[in-house]
Amino acid sequence: MVVQAEEGLLTDTGTAPRGRVLIATAVPVERDAVARGLRAPHPAIDVVAVGVGPAAAAAGTATALTTAELTGRPYTLVVSAGIGGGFTAPPGALLIADAITAADLGAETPEGFVPVTELGFGTVTHRPPASLVRDLAAATRAAVGTVLTVSTVTGSADRAALLAQRHPGAVAEAMEGFGVAEAAAAHDVPVAEIRAVSNAVGPRDRDAWRIGDALAALTDAFGKSAPVLESWKNT
């Protein structure tokens, strides 16, 4: 029996595989790029477009995780995937997160920005398993670093410089990773994030965007990383 959800396929073979992977993208074009990379059907991997921004991403991912648990086929790994802005990496480059950080979750004070953790509650960073980060980077030849989640995409050099100063290890910014990670953490499921660079973080120059190149890189990344995702175990 095949159950078709709004944004993907869940294949019910009657028995649950040892590990199941949920790949969460923001929009269908990213979902389709990932699916092209997978090429052959992968019964243990589902790709779902969960929406743009951290709130939509958290809600969509949580819904998929809950549905899988209720049907007796829970996911054992969640991957946030898509295109994003690179701080120094050029368009088409692949990046793997070793930290998924909410860059603007906190409060502005006279002394500057204070993350929510310093206000005494919440979290601003989720860390993917080190072994998974290592294996994905080796398979895709991607750079590794912090991927920032923002609610407003950076559009100026001053904002880009401020983010780079606050987060020295940042390699990219996107809008969904932290939301996906929050949902995964609520279900006690490990998380990873894979991004392909479509533009530079900073002044918005649409003529310089390379969305096609980034989507092609995303396809290539999942062609190479599918074996890693299917075989990885959280030990």
Side-chain angles (χ1 to χ4, degrees), residues 5-150:
E6 182 179 353
E7 298 289 355
L9 292 177
L10 303 179
T11 302
D12 186 355
T13 61
T15 59
R18 287 191 302 173
R20 297 189 67 230
V21 182
L22 174 65
I23 301 172
T25 71
V27 294
V29 69
E30 294 169 318
R31 177 199 63 201
D32 295 345
V34 171
R36 285 194 297 273
L38 297 176
R39 293 186 291 269
H42 289 262
I45 300 179
D46 295 324
V47 191
V48 181
V50 294
V52 176
T61 303
T63 297
L65 288 167
T66 300
T67 300
E69 289 174 0
L70 291 174
T71 56
R73 304 181 68 240
Y75 292 107
T76 54
L77 175 65
V78 179
V79 181
S80 176
I83 64 176
F87 280 92
T88 58
L94 288 172
L95 304 171
I96 308 293
D98 61 5
I100 301 169
T101 296
D104 47 14
L105 182 60
E108 292 288 351
T109 74
E111 291 75 33
F113 178 78
V114 178
V116 72
T117 48
E118 293 184 22
L119 298 175
F121 52 90
T123 184
V124 294
T125 295
H126 293 279
R127 296 192 179 277
S131 63
L132 179 59
V133 172
R134 181 189 64 238
D135 292 348
L136 287 172
T140 61
R141 297 187 177 181
V144 174
T146 299
V147 175
L148 303 179
T149 299
V150 295

Side-chain angles (χ1 to χ4, degrees), residues 174-193:
M175 300 182 75
E176 293 77 34
F178 187 78
V180 172
E182 284 281 273
H187 287 259
D188 197 26
V189 178
V191 69
E193 185 167 9

Side-chain angles (χ1 to χ4, degrees), residues 142-163:
V144 174
T146 299
V147 175
L148 303 179
T149 299
V150 295
S151 296
T152 302
V153 173
T154 298
S156 69
D158 288 346
R159 173 67 173 170
L162 182 61
L163 287 176

